[in-house]
């Protein structure tokens, strides 16, 4: 949903600015667009960390059948923490950017652009905090929004694989369950790889600009900023598609929902026949990243090995 907000609001503003050299919505867009873009990085970062914790919890659960169903209130609470935390960490972006105007040397017209300069009308204490954030912004980006999700995901995957390797030596688990767990882990790894590839150019550009900005022209800096923004838009476009393609139950539920909306489905004679299938699909789609308790396996015979 946050990726949709980025594409719906930020992308038209950036394209409009590049075509007309006028800032859509004026000074407000200069503050809201960076705020939403940084919040998007935070939402993705903390979501990947939460998914890594969930996969680790699934691997270390003593008995999968005793795990309680993840309640809707619990999931909403986790999403609220992720969203509110990401938006809170992005508040300095609102105070950091402002609208500026310049005369184009080519056309002679007035062009509008956003500049990273705190307003002098801010209180002294807030102004000093915003300046501190501006000076540490590059390394904050690199540490929190790049290194944290990658290192966290890699660490959780390594620990999970080690635990699963130990379990396979001591007991034989169902091949279908093991394949499902492996598929979910691959999905998280794929999301992390896409995120890392799309945020690497921005971090590289930030480091280069921080140490070489006096030697670079304004046109070069604007081009680098535009490239960084479109990498973010690319990430927001690819991530939902990748998630729907890799998570087959989620993708199937999404397609069923779209077909249901397009056909205007309602109660008919076939609804009772497909109730069992729809219930099964709903249960599968709701357990994409949160394990549901599985049925207790049948008792083992007195003779023979557990395998």
């Amino acid at each position: 949903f946050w990726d949709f907000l980025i594409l719906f609001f930020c992308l038209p503003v950036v394209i409009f600015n590049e075509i007309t050299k006028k800032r859509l919505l004026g000074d407000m867009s200069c503050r809201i667009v960076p705020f939403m873009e940084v919040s998007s990085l935070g939402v993705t970062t903390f979501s990947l960390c939460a998914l890594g914790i969930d996969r680790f919890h699934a691997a270390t659960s003593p008995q999968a059948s005793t795990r309680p169903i993840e309640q809707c209130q619990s999931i909403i609470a986790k999403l609220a923490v992720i969203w509110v935390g990401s938006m809170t960490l992005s508040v300095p972006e609102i105070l950091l950017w402002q609208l500026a105007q310049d005369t184009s040397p080519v056309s002679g017209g007035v062009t509008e652009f956003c500049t990273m300069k705190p307003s002098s009308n801010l209180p002294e204490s807030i102004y000093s905090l915003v300046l501190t954030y501006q000076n540490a912004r590059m390394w904050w980006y690199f540490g929190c929004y790049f290194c944290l999700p990658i290192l966290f995901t890699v660490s959780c995957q390594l620990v999970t694989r080690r635990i699963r390797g130990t379990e396979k030596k001591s007991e034989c688990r169902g091949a279908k369950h093991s394949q499902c767990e492996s598929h979910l882990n691959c999905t998280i790894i794929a999301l992390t790889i896409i995120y890392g590839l799309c945020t690497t150019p921005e971090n590289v550009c930030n480091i280069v600009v921080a140490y070489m900005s006096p030697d670079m022209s304004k046109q070069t800096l604007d081009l680098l900023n535009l490239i960084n923004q479109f990498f973010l838009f690319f990430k927001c476009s690819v991530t939902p598609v990748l998630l729907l393609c890799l998570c087959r139950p989620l993708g199937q539920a999404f397609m069923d929902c779209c077909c249901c909306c397009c056909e205007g489905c309602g109660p008919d004679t076939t609804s009772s026949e497909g109730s069992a299938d729809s219930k099964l699909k709903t249960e599968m789609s709701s357990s994409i990243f949160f394990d549901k308790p599985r049925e207790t396996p049948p008792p083992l015979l007195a003779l023979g090995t557990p395998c």
Side-chain angles (χ1 to χ4, degrees), residues 58-59 160-168 173 181 185:
T160 301
R161 289 180 181 275
R162 183 176 182 85
I163 293 175
R164 292 193 184 282
T166 304
E167 288 181 350
K168 288 181 180 179
R173 307 181 66 176
E181 294 293 328
N185 290 330

Side-chain angles (χ1 to χ4, degrees), residues 66-173:
T66 61
R67 291 195 64 193
I69 298 176
E70 186 78 14
Q71 298 296 328
C72 182
Q73 293 82 357
S74 175
I75 298 176
I76 293 177
K78 293 176 182 179
L79 292 177
V81 170
I82 292 174
W83 279 40
V84 173
S86 303
M87 297 172 67
T88 302
L89 294 176
S90 306
V91 168
E93 296 288 332
I94 299 178
L95 307 175
L96 182 62
W97 294 86
Q98 61 178 327
L99 183 66
Q101 295 181 347
D102 192 12
T103 302
S104 175
V106 179
S107 61
V110 178
T111 60
E112 296 179 347
F113 61 95
C114 298
T115 179
M116 193 184 299
K117 182 180 179 181
S119 175
S120 58
N121 298 327
L122 294 174
E124 184 178 356
S125 58
I126 298 180
Y127 183 80
S128 61
L129 290 177
V130 175
L131 283 181
T132 304
Y133 173 81
Q134 181 180 0
N135 295 330
R137 186 173 183 268
M138 174 190 66
W139 296 112
W140 170 253
Y141 255 67
F142 181 74
C144 181
Y145 298 135
F146 181 76
C147 295
L148 177 62
I150 294 178
L151 294 178
F152 201 94
T153 303
V154 171
S155 301
C156 288
Q157 290 298 320
L158 291 177
V159 174
T160 301
R161 289 180 181 275
R162 183 176 182 85
I163 293 175
R164 292 193 184 282
T166 304
E167 288 181 350
K168 288 181 180 179
K169 295 179 180 179
S170 58
E171 60 177 283
C172 294
R173 307 181 66 176

Side-chain angles (χ1 to χ4, degrees), residues 246-260:
L246 292 181
C247 290
R248 297 176 183 176
L250 179 62
Q252 183 63 41
F254 180 78
M255 295 301 298
D256 292 343
C257 182
C258 292
C259 295
C260 180

Side-chain angles (χ1 to χ4, degrees), residues 176-254:
K176 186 176 181 180
H177 171 68
S178 178
Q179 183 180 3
C180 179
E181 294 293 328
S182 177
H183 191 72
L184 292 176
N185 290 330
C186 292
T187 301
I188 299 178
I189 293 176
L191 294 175
T192 305
I193 292 175
I194 291 295
Y195 177 75
L197 292 178
C198 293
T199 54
T200 296
E202 181 174 5
N203 287 277
V204 173
C205 290
N206 288 339
I207 296 176
V208 171
V209 170
Y211 293 101
M212 299 181 60
S213 57
D215 302 330
M216 303 175 68
S217 62
K218 182 179 179 302
Q219 290 76 13
T220 304
L221 296 176
D222 293 341
L223 179 60
L224 292 177
N225 184 46
L226 183 63
I227 293 175
N228 295 335
Q229 286 185 315
F230 273 97
F231 266 105
L232 177 63
F233 298 147
F234 177 76
K235 188 268 295 182
C236 294
S237 303
V238 172
T239 299
V241 177
L242 181 67
L243 189 59
L244 292 176
C245 292
L246 292 181
C247 290
R248 297 176 183 176
L250 179 62
Q252 183 63 41
F254 180 78

Side-chain angles (χ1 to χ4, degrees), residues 58 61-68 173 177 181 291-294:
S61 180
Q63 290 184 358
S65 59
T66 61
R67 291 195 64 193
R173 307 181 66 176
H177 171 68
E181 294 293 328
D291 291 345
K292 300 174 71 69
R294 285 165 289 274

